[in-house]
């Protein structure tokens, strides 16, 4: 059996533009793969205002001004939330932080899971962004 590294490689000259198109196409295929479950055309994120989109996107990626990320990049001394009950992550702030209990109950009177808050319908994402904008935490 031949290892592909030992075989002579065909000389394909591709322009930067062709390479960029191929990479984009492969990334899109991977990102929209049925196994990932993510369907960009069904994501109501693009229907939100720019400010709301930024909040949701930052929460989804974890690239926000919460202490967990700030600690990871060496900006904060500790990742522990001001409440002292865990790392200040998007999940902690949205689901468990006792400092936001009252606001959380006002925003979601019924128990709502994290997936719905971050990946739900348009109304769910609007609630989440409003919750974060009204909270003491900046994302
Ligand atoms: Zn907390």
């Amino acid at each position: 059996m031949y290892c592909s590294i030992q075989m002579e490689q065909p000389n394909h000259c591709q322009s930067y533009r062709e390479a960029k198109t191929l990479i984009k196409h492969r990334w899109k295929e991977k990102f929209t793969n049925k196994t990932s479950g993510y369907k960009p055309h069904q994501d109501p994120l693009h229907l939100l205002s720019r400010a709301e989109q930024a909040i949701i996107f930052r929460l989804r990626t974890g690239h926000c001004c919460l202490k967990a990320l700030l600690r990871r990049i060496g900006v904060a001394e500790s990742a522990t939330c001001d409440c002292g009950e865990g790392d200040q992550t998007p999940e902690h702030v949205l689901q468990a932080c006792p400092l936001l209990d009252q606001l959380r109950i006002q925003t979601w009177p019924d128990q709502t899971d994290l997936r719905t808050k971050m990946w739900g319908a348009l109304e769910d994402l609007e609630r989440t962004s409003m919750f974060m904008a009204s909270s003491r935490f900046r994302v």
Side-chain angles (χ1 to χ4, degrees), residues 84-102:
E85 294 192 7
D87 286 354
Q88 196 178 74
T89 61
E91 181 175 7
H92 171 77
V93 169
L94 289 172
Q95 298 295 91
C97 184
L99 300 174
L100 299 174
D101 277 350
Q102 192 171 353

Side-chain angles (χ1 to χ4, degrees), residues 20-34:
K20 192 173 165 185
T21 301
L22 284 170
I23 291 168
K24 273 186 175 178
H25 181 73
R26 285 190 186 147
W27 181 86
K28 189 176 179 183
E29 267 184 0
K30 184 179 177 185
F31 199 65
T32 57
N33 186 332
K34 288 179 181 171

Side-chain angles (χ1 to χ4, degrees), residues 77-136:
E77 291 282 320
S78 165
T80 304
C81 183
D82 299 345
C83 68
E85 294 192 7
D87 286 354
Q88 196 178 74
T89 61
E91 181 175 7
H92 171 77
V93 169
L94 289 172
Q95 298 295 91
C97 184
L99 300 174
L100 299 174
D101 277 350
Q102 192 171 353
L103 180 61
R104 190 176 304 107
I105 290 169
Q106 287 172 356
T107 307
W108 296 284
D110 300 319
Q111 186 80 12
T112 305
D113 62 41
L114 183 64
R115 184 171 174 78
T116 301
K117 290 177 181 176
M118 296 214 305
W119 298 91
L122 178 61
E123 182 182 314
D124 299 313
L125 300 184
E126 286 172 338
R127 276 188 196 191
T128 302
S129 61
M130 188 178 70
F131 173 81
M132 290 309 299
S134 305
S135 78
R136 59 190 288 147

